[in-house]
Amino acid sequence: AVILLGFGLNISQVFAVGKSSLPVILSTYFYRFNLLLSFSNDFLNGYKASYLDWGSSSICGGSAIAATAPVIHAKEKEVAQAISVIFFFNVLAALIFPTLGFGHLSNEGFALFAGTAVNDTSSVTATASAWDSLYHTNTLESATIVKLTRTLAIIPITLFLSYWQSVNKTTTKE
């Protein structure tokens, strides 16, 4: 929040944007988790790439991978693959999302979209900055707040994965 206050936002603005984005953020966590459970027994069987994919796409890309990889004892190859995939899609999002014709969205709508659909904070800021340049708007601050609110889930999700790993030690694939 201190960094965002440097943008000229006050703490009540930070909390207001963060609070208003929580329903969308929480629904994306659960949607992505249920998607993994629906389409893949890999998650239930302890396949580490599934954990990394869920954490990185649901929370904060590379930061989530860095936080969860040691907890689930992921191999270097699995971490490298997850990071490569996340950053590939981040680059695509930063280049494509601002130009996809989302011009009908409000500033708040695109900020919420960018903050929840793009995986890393740096890529969210790139996407929002490109939007601002194209449409002469000011979504950067709100998109960054949404993203940082989403990032706060690193702690509970890492704790959840730690618990999941301890309960399912015998079924974890190497």
Side-chain angles (χ1 to χ4, degrees), residues 18-34:
K19 183 180 172 184
S20 68
S21 65
L22 277 177
V24 173
I25 292 170
L26 292 174
S27 65
T28 60
Y29 292 152
F30 293 113
Y31 171 76
R32 288 173 177 157
F33 182 69
N34 286 323

Side-chain angles (χ1 to χ4, degrees), residues 26-84:
L26 292 174
S27 65
T28 60
Y29 292 152
F30 293 113
Y31 171 76
R32 288 173 177 157
F33 182 69
N34 286 323
L35 193 65
L36 269 175
L37 293 178
S38 299
F39 289 109
S40 176
N41 284 330
D42 290 342
F43 190 82
L44 294 173
N45 291 328
Y47 187 60
K48 294 171 186 172
S50 293
Y51 296 133
L52 294 174
D53 292 342
W54 174 54
S56 61
S57 67
S58 298
I59 308 168
C60 188
S63 298
I65 293 168
T68 59
V71 170
I72 64 170
H73 310 289
K75 295 178 181 176
E76 289 179 15
K77 181 179 179 181
E78 294 165 323
V79 172
Q81 182 180 16
I83 287 175
S84 297

